[in-house]
Amino acid sequence: MLVTDIGSASALWDSGPGLVVLTHAAGFGLALVLFALRRRMWALLPLVAVPVAEGVGSHSNVELPIAGAALTGVHLAAAALWVGTLLHVGCAALLWRSWRGAVRWVLVSYARMAAWVFVLVVATGLTMALLLVPLPALTTTAYGQSLLVKLGLVAMAAGLALAGRWALRRQRLGRVTKTVRVGGKTFLSNEPYNSGVAPIAARVESESGATRLLMGFPAAGTHAEVTLDKRGRITEETLTGPKHVFTRRFLYPDG
């Protein structure tokens, strides 16, 4: 649109809005390349440039230079983290729907993070609203009316989130803890359990005395389901990663 309006491609590097558009394209494009090369953590760096560029080109930066740009950048980054993580959690919950304990662990972990991010979104958003729209203009201008609609949607999302947290607490899906410690030389000698500590989603004791553990390893992008006998030895193990599922059973000579 910029090139069409001005009639020259130079609009992309000779104007402020053009530079913002170029920064967006470069940030997203480089992030996709790094993601395709499996450099996922490095892909975060070019993505940071996107909210920064949007902040520089925002109305808030015009009204309050530098501080306004920072407000907009933080607001957009927090909103992207909030919504993007929610989509990832939804996919994880769908894939793990047969393991209720694992689903609960994912939801509880997201709820803790989302609470702080949501507060950041609301705080920066209200600050920008007060900066850009005088109170009388909320109902008399199109910008103010769209802002009221936006606030209503955010309030609705907050209500749904609180209802979800209340429902989550009422469900009896087993106790959720951050870590689990398991003894047994065989257990501790197997990767990735050699530290004896791992995040746990659920721990279930069976009538036979065996113990089932559902564990997640977010840093590695994997989760594990392990069955232990009464002596803390692994009898069955399933490791699931981004591109593989690995299952094995253990038989011990001494029974």
Side-chain angles (χ1 to χ4, degrees):
M1 290 179 62
L2 284 170
V3 172
T4 301
D5 291 342
I6 297 180
S8 173
S10 63
L12 293 175
W13 54 82
D14 286 341
S15 64
L19 291 175
V20 170
V21 171
L22 282 181
T23 304
H24 286 177
F28 283 121
L30 185 55
L32 286 173
V33 170
L34 291 172
F35 194 81
L37 295 175
R38 298 187 179 279
R39 299 292 188 270
R40 298 183 178 182
M41 294 305 297
W42 286 103
L44 294 176
L45 293 178
L47 286 178
V48 172
V50 176
V52 171
E54 191 65 26
V56 171
S58 66
H59 295 294
S60 299
N61 193 41
V62 175
E63 295 293 332
L64 189 63
I66 301 178
L71 275 174
T72 302
V74 172
H75 180 74
L76 293 176
L81 183 61
W82 177 30
V83 178
T85 309
L86 179 59
L87 293 175
H88 180 71
V89 166
C91 292
L94 182 63
L95 291 173
W96 290 357
R97 59 187 179 276
S98 58
W99 295 305
R100 298 182 67 195
V103 173
R104 179 183 173 88
W105 173 65
V106 171
L107 293 176
V108 170
S109 299
Y110 170 73
R112 292 168 181 163
M113 182 278 295
W116 293 103
V117 176
F118 179 77
V119 169
L120 193 59
V121 170
V122 172
T124 53
L126 289 177
T127 303
M128 289 190 298
L130 294 175
L131 180 65
L132 296 175
V133 185
L135 290 179
L138 285 175
T139 56
T140 58
T141 63
Y143 191 91
Q145 292 169 359
S146 64
L147 182 60
L148 289 177
V149 173
K150 194 175 184 180
L151 290 174
L153 293 174
V154 172
M156 184 184 302
L160 292 173
L162 291 175
R165 287 177 68 90
W166 178 77
L168 195 61
R169 289 179 178 178
R170 288 180 59 87
Q171 292 178 0
R172 297 181 179 179
L173 299 178
R175 183 170 174 264
V176 177
T177 58
K178 291 184 178 180
T179 59
V180 59
R181 291 183 179 273
V182 182
K185 293 182 179 180
T186 305
F187 181 83
L188 299 180
S189 66
N190 285 272
E191 290 286 351
Y193 321 113
N194 52 9
S195 66
V197 180
I200 183 171
R203 177 173 183 154
V204 181
E205 303 288 347
S206 66
E207 296 180 356
S208 63
T211 301
R212 289 182 62 233
L213 302 177
L214 296 175
M215 296 175 286
F217 299 87
T222 62
H223 75 275
E225 181 178 347
V226 180
T227 302
L228 307 177
D229 62 13
K230 296 180 180 179
R231 297 166 61 179
R233 301 178 303 184
I234 300 176
T235 58
E236 189 170 337
E237 173 189 58
T238 299
L239 296 176
T240 304
K243 291 189 175 181
H244 71 273
V245 176
F246 180 77
T247 302
R248 59 181 177 177
R249 294 182 179 180
F250 296 82
L251 299 176
Y252 300 97
D254 56 348

